[in-house]
Amino acid sequence: MRRTVIAGNWKMYKTIEESIELINGLKPLTSNLKPNVDVIVCPPFTSLAIASSLLKDSSIKLGAQNMSEHDEGAYTGEVSWKMLKSAGCEYVILGHSERRQYFGETNELINLKAKKGLANGLKPIICVGEKLEEREAGVTEQIVSAQIKGVLSGISSDDMKKVIIAYEPVWAIGTGKTATPLQAQQVHMHIRKLVGQLYSWNVAEGLVIQYGGSVKPDNAAELLAQDDIDGALVGGACLKADSFSSIIGSAPAR
Ligand code: PGA
C-alpha cells in the first residue's frame, strides 16, 4: 500500500526566527502520526539547517524548494545537492509552477535536476500541472503527459521508488480555487496509467502522487480520500501549525 505524504511548501515565507516558531508549534501537533503518513516541511534555504536540528527528535522530514543541476562551481545564487544534504534535507521540490513561470524552468532542466538529486541521495518531489487556458482548451491530459515524459526521461525504474509526483493545476495554486476531488482524481489516474506504460504497473502502483493547489483543512479529507491521491503539497495552509496539522490529520488511515 502506498504511503500518504503531506508536504508543506513554505515558499518565500518565514525568517529564521519565524521558522523556529512554526516548527516548535508543529512538533507537538504531529507527535502522533498515523503509521501510513509521512510529513515533510520545505522551508526556505536560510532556515534549513536550523529546521534540521529542531526536527532531530521528531518524525517530520526535511525538504528544500529547489536545487541546482550542477555539482558546484561559479553559479552565483545557486544551491547544490551537497549543500542541501549537509543542511539535513532528504527531499527537494523540483519544477514547481512558480519556478517554471517566473524563472523559466523547463521540463529538460527539471529532469536534469531530478537526475542529479537521485544520483546523490535526494528524493525529488516533481511538480506538474496545467494552466487555466490549457484546462479550458481541454488539453490537460496532453500537457501533463508531456511534462511527465519530459521530467522523468532517463530515470530508472529503481530510482522511481524515490520519486514523488505532485499534480498542481496552476489555476488552483494560491487562488483559493481547488480542483474538485473528481477533477484531481482523473488527472492522478491518468498520471498513474502513463507511468505504468512508461515503466511497469509495479512502478505505477508504488508511485506517490500528491495533489497541490489551495489544499485547506476543510477540503483535504475529501481530496485525500480519492483512490489515486496519495498526499498533498500544501502552500498557504502550511504556514500555520494548526492548519497544517489539521490537514495532516485528515489523511485516511490505510
Ligand atoms: P497553495 O500552494 O496551497 O497556496 O495553493 C500550493 C503549492 O504551490 O505548492
Side-chain angles (χ1 to χ4, degrees), residues 107-147:
N107 291 324
E108 292 70 27
L109 177 66
I110 297 158
N111 175 247
L112 287 178
K113 292 182 176 196
K115 288 194 281 205
K116 182 59 77 180
L118 285 164
N120 293 290
L122 282 168
K123 299 174 189 161
I125 300 174
I126 308 177
C127 305
V128 298
E130 82 286 3
K131 300 190 186 111
L132 182 59
E133 58 270 27
E134 292 164 340
R135 175 157 286 264
E136 285 174 347
V139 294
T140 297
E141 293 192 352
Q142 287 96 303
I143 294 292
V144 170
S145 295
Q147 291 174 332

Side-chain angles (χ1 to χ4, degrees), residues 9 11 96 98 168 172-175 212-216 233-237:
N9 173 11
K11 306 194 180 184
H96 189 280
E98 287 149 15
E168 300 204 305
I173 295 178
T175 58
S214 298
V215 176
K216 303 276 181 274
L233 182 52
V234 183

Side-chain angles (χ1 to χ4, degrees), residues 45 48 64-85 89 91-95 99 103 105-106 108-122 124:
F45 292 134
L48 288 173
Q65 299 173 22
N66 184 27
M67 186 196 85
S68 170
E69 73 277 26
H70 301 290
D71 290 316
E72 62 179 4
Y75 300 104
T76 302
E78 289 291 279
V79 173
S80 73
W81 62 266
K82 222 182 266 183
M83 297 166 186
L84 296 186
K85 285 191 76 176
C89 288
Y91 293 87
V92 58
I93 299 172
L94 295 176
R99 302 284 330 158
F103 303 96
E105 294 203 6
T106 60
E108 292 70 27
L109 177 66
I110 297 158
N111 175 247
L112 287 178
K113 292 182 176 196
K115 288 194 281 205
K116 182 59 77 180
L118 285 164
N120 293 290
L122 282 168

